[in-house]
Amino acid sequence: MRIKIEVNPAKDGQFSETFLCQEIDGVQKKAQLNIAHFHNLYDFTKETSSVGFDFFLIAAIVYGTDDLLSRELYSYNGWTREIEIEFPVKNIDYWKLAITELEETLGFLTGDVWSITFRQMEVEVLYLPRKNRRKSNIPKYNYPNIEFVSLFSGGLDSLIGVINKLNSLDNGKIGLLVSHFDPTYTGPKKDQTLILEEFEKSFDNKYKHIRATVGLSQRYINGDKITKDANQRSRSILFIGIAAYLLNKVPTSNTILIPENGTISLNHPLTKSRTSSLSTRTTHPYFFRKLQESLEIVNLNISLINPFKLDTKGKMVVDCDNTTILQKTYPLSVSCGKRGHKVHWENRNAKQCGICMPCIYRRAALHKNNWDTDTYGNDLLTLTDMNKAKPDVKALFDYLGTSISLKEIKRNLLVNGSIEISNLDAYANLVHNSRVEILNWIRDKGNDQLKKILKIQ
């Protein structure tokens, strides 16, 4: 599928209208990529001409395109799509050099075949600050005092990562917390806001928070509804693109912290059918490495760091530097990968489904501190009939009930994505430890039927 990008001149107080254009049955259709409240970013950067800004716009377009092209409609094998796209950029001479690396990076991230070209941005002014805006409403930033830049999603992992960094700050230093909000998926914004309200009590004046609003419209401009893919695999590159754009102004660091437990980052497949493109790779170490190589080519020397790449979620919870604040805030965080899909939930008042892998890792991790007290849409621990279980749950129990050696884990990791050989042993141990966390949780809290299936006492 070929996607053309249309960018129109900016209007007062707004980012340029941006459209993703595709041809469907001989008819051109346009979907708007909404980049709203851009002043939140511009107040910090004061520019739209850098390579960092180019990367932000590229990442936003990738995110919108990923959402636009439903795999049900556009994949040739039920999953993989062929995507041809031309990105408009301000610094085209740099980006032309990075085509091959960026294609490989996006291909690994989304599981698709990307064919990329670049063109010189035709529109010179992409954002016009609102003329009548009060100066008192424009925030001021002391850039040299910013000690770190971290992604802040509203999930448990980013919560722990940010608590650890804020807890260790010297007086006068601050952290910059970077978030994303898509109006189609409203949950994360509320999670972030609730956590920040608690942070104001514990970490007052120790952080600044900037949130970007990027999302694809629900309908084409002719009124037809868009069938979205909604997997959000590319959200990680948008998150990083936002942070990279802001990082341009920070003189004290070139690092973006991306807190994510190593188990989810590696995403060891539960079954053979979940390897390759079917296995999500949003924070996989190979994706980080390939993206970093792509950015270095365009002279964006950014270091992408996951401080928990060798840690299980349980280890993160137990080792958090400020358990008091974590205990207050973890109930406000959400880890669920299927929130909002409540049709089959027994408790539709819950915030999290309880049976996706992120939920299961979360519950097993919190159990290590005796904090597994949240309410979930479905309680895996009360399941009595495996025949009625969802496919993900069946796959999990097949995985947990099958003996697997460290050698087999290593082989699976290599098949699922290029892993640095120097870290292979550590990664294999990490996968083993994550299995142990789940089994211990089920042993301590599961019903007799589950224990019988897994042959644990």
Side-chain angles (χ1 to χ4, degrees):
M1 173 58 65
R2 185 176 184 184
I3 302 296
K4 295 182 179 179
I5 310 302
E6 177 185 314
V7 181
N8 296 320
K11 299 177 182 178
D12 182 40
Q14 298 179 18
F15 190 84
S16 298
E17 285 186 332
T18 304
F19 296 94
L20 310 184
C21 311
Q22 60 182 140
E23 184 175 309
I24 303 176
D25 297 328
V27 178
Q28 288 287 335
K29 289 194 174 183
K30 294 163 59 173
Q32 185 166 3
L33 179 65
N34 298 304
I35 301 176
H37 311 299
F38 185 73
H39 64 273
N40 290 337
L41 304 182
Y42 188 83
D43 287 345
F44 190 86
T45 66
K46 306 297 185 186
E47 59 89 9
T48 59
S49 60
S50 66
V51 174
F53 170 78
D54 280 343
F55 178 47
F56 160 71
L57 185 58
I58 289 168
I61 291 170
V62 167
Y63 176 78
T65 301
D66 188 24
D67 214 12
L68 177 66
L69 301 179
S70 166
R71 283 181 165 80
E72 182 179 350
L73 299 176
Y74 298 106
S75 66
Y76 59 80
N77 60 0
W79 185 262
T80 305
R81 303 163 296 186
E82 293 183 346
I83 302 171
E84 182 181 347
I85 193 166
E86 182 180 60
F87 295 108
V89 292
K90 292 287 189 77
N91 303 276
I92 191 168
D93 290 340
Y94 284 113
W95 288 103
K96 281 182 176 180
L97 302 175
I99 288 175
T100 299
E101 285 74 12
L102 196 56
E103 286 176 341
E104 293 175 359
T105 301
L106 295 179
F108 183 83
L109 175 64
T110 69
D112 302 302
V113 178
W114 291 77
S115 178
I116 292 172
T117 54
F118 293 97
R119 74 170 189 268
Q120 186 66 43
M121 174 70 74
E122 303 91 345
V123 176
E124 186 170 340
V125 179
L126 292 166
Y127 174 70
L128 284 173
R130 186 156 57 88
K131 293 179 181 179
N132 61 352
R133 190 177 174 204
R134 292 183 179 180
K135 290 185 177 180
S136 60
N137 290 337
I138 301 175
K140 296 180 180 180
Y141 296 98
N142 191 336
Y143 301 103
N145 284 1
I146 297 175
E147 188 80 6
F148 70 90
V149 177
S150 178
L151 305 192
F152 178 68
S153 66
L156 179 59
D157 291 357
S158 72
L159 170 63
I160 294 173
V162 168
I163 287 175
N164 287 351
K165 293 299 292 185
L166 293 178
N167 197 64
S168 64
L169 282 180
D170 294 332
N171 289 336
K173 298 297 183 179
I174 63 172
L176 181 65
L177 314 187
V178 180
S179 297
H180 164 240
F181 168 57
D182 183 336
T184 303
Y185 312 101
T186 57
K189 181 180 180 181
K190 184 177 180 180
D191 306 334
Q192 296 158 12
T193 300
L194 291 173
I195 292 170
L196 290 171
E197 288 175 356
E198 190 62 42
F199 274 5
E200 288 176 5
K201 305 172 188 176
S202 305
F203 294 123
D204 189 32
N205 297 321
K206 282 198 168 188
Y207 67 90
K208 295 289 185 180
H209 176 240
I210 297 179
R211 179 161 46 214
T213 303
V214 179
L216 189 70
S217 58
Q218 297 280 49
R219 296 182 180 273
Y220 295 102
I221 61 172
N222 71 349
D224 291 347
K225 187 175 181 180
I226 298 171
T227 302
K228 295 189 176 184
D229 193 68
N231 73 85
Q232 291 200 296
R233 280 193 171 200
S234 56
R235 189 172 183 233
S236 58
I237 197 171
L238 174 57
F239 243 131
I240 295 168
I242 297 164
Y245 175 41
L246 298 174
L247 192 61
N248 265 355
K249 290 288 291 187
V250 179
T252 52
S253 176
N254 73 331
T255 298
I256 299 174
L257 295 176
I258 307 167
E260 184 79 271
N261 73 83
T263 311
I264 285 290
S265 294
L266 291 174
N267 197 27
H268 181 275
L270 301 183
T271 66
K272 291 183 179 180
S273 65
R274 292 172 181 242
T275 57
S276 191
S277 63
L278 289 176
S279 184
T280 182
R281 295 143 164 186
T282 55
T283 56
H284 194 281
Y286 181 73
F287 163 62
F288 281 0
R289 188 165 78 249
K290 291 302 297 182
L291 179 58
Q292 198 159 287
E293 289 172 0
S294 301
L295 298 181
E296 287 173 358
I297 291 172
V298 299
N299 209 29
L300 268 179
N301 295 314
I302 292 172
S303 181
L304 307 176
I305 301 296
N306 178 5
F308 305 114
K309 70 177 184 178
L310 298 178
D311 292 347
T312 65
K313 205 178 192 83
K315 188 174 188 301
M316 291 174 62
V317 169
V318 171
D319 291 351
C320 181
D321 292 345
N322 195 319
T323 305
T324 300
I325 295 176
L326 179 60
Q327 190 167 12
K328 293 178 182 178
T329 52
Y330 84 80
L332 307 175
S333 69
V334 173
S335 305
C336 185
K338 297 182 179 180
R339 67 187 300 173
H341 304 283
K342 298 188 176 185
V343 176
H344 301 292
W345 291 19
E346 294 179 4
N347 181 356
R348 297 188 184 181
N349 293 320
K351 296 192 297 182
Q352 307 178 77
C353 76
I355 55 175
C356 69
M357 285 310 302
C359 279
I360 290 165
Y361 287 132
R362 174 190 176 94
R363 294 196 63 181
L366 292 173
H367 174 62
K368 297 193 74 166
N369 272 9
N370 294 315
W371 289 350
D372 178 30
T373 57
D374 290 352
T375 300
Y376 292 86
N378 296 292
D379 187 354
L380 177 71
L381 298 177
T382 63
L383 181 67
T384 56
D385 187 352
M386 192 57 63
N387 292 323
K388 295 181 180 180
K390 298 294 181 183
D392 285 358
V393 174
K394 291 180 180 178
L396 169 65
F397 275 80
D398 285 344
Y399 170 66
L400 294 176
T402 303
S403 177
I404 182 171
S405 67
L406 288 175
K407 183 178 179 180
E408 290 173 308
I409 293 174
K410 292 177 188 179
R411 183 178 64 246
N412 293 340
L413 290 174
L414 290 171
V415 170
N416 193 44
S418 299
I419 295 290
E420 311 98 314
I421 298 299
S422 60
N423 284 331
L424 190 55
D425 287 341
Y427 286 143
N429 285 320
L430 168 64
V431 172
H432 169 76
N433 292 338
S434 70
R435 282 168 55 94
V436 170
E437 280 186 8
I438 298 173
L439 288 168
N440 286 342
W441 168 62
I442 295 174
R443 177 183 291 111
D444 292 344
K445 300 187 67 175
N447 61 39
D448 291 340
Q449 181 68 15
L450 296 184
K451 295 176 186 178
K452 182 178 179 181
I453 292 170
L454 296 176
K455 299 178 182 178
I456 57 177
Q457 300 298 322

